Amino acid sequence: RRIEDTIDDAIGTLMAVGRYDPAVRLNLDRGMSARVAREGVSFLRLVIIGTMWGLIPIELVRVTQLDGTCTSSLVVGTVVRVLAAGSAVVAGVAFRDLATFVVGALFWAC
């Protein structure tokens, strides 16, 4: 009976998502909806993450340096945000469906 349940679960996932692989199974086990798993990594979201987490903080540091109000915590925060954006973009391109969860989390944290 246990094998039949596993097969039924795989068939249900295949019908809902359109494919069945370890990345889809991992994302669904983490609580991702079948719709989001079906769509995979959104490259528009990657662009938004790169802009909001990468370019805007760099511009903020540049402007505050011109004003003379740039602090070390602002620079460290900017470096962390840029690294997060770069990591999300690289993960989204390299790992595709495995990175869907991370890309979604960073997108909604913008």
Side-chain angles (χ1 to χ4, degrees):
R1 180 75 182 137
R2 189 173 186 169
I3 292 174
E4 291 174 358
D5 291 339
T6 304
I7 292 170
D8 288 343
D9 183 47
I11 291 170
T13 301
L14 182 60
M15 290 173 60
V17 177
R19 65 187 184 286
Y20 188 86
D21 59 22
V24 170
R25 185 77 257 150
L26 180 67
N27 286 329
L28 292 175
D29 288 344
R30 288 181 175 167
M32 184 178 292
S33 71
R35 181 188 60 80
V36 174
R38 180 177 48 252
E39 293 171 1
V41 172
S42 166
F43 289 102
L44 176 61
R45 284 188 176 183
L46 287 176
V47 170
I48 292 170
I49 289 169
T51 302
M52 297 300 291
W53 282 73
L55 299 177
I56 291 174
I58 290 172
E59 182 63 16
L60 178 65
V61 168
R62 190 187 69 78
V63 168
T64 56
Q65 282 178 337
L66 294 176
D67 294 343
T69 59
C70 187
T71 63
S72 60
S73 61
L74 179 64
V75 172
V76 169
T78 299
V79 168
V80 169
R81 288 176 68 95
V82 170
L83 287 175
S87 298
V89 170
V90 168
V93 172
F95 300 111
R96 304 210 34 115
D97 287 338
L98 284 173
T100 304
F101 187 80
V102 173
V103 170
L106 282 176
F107 174 77
W108 290 110
C110 286

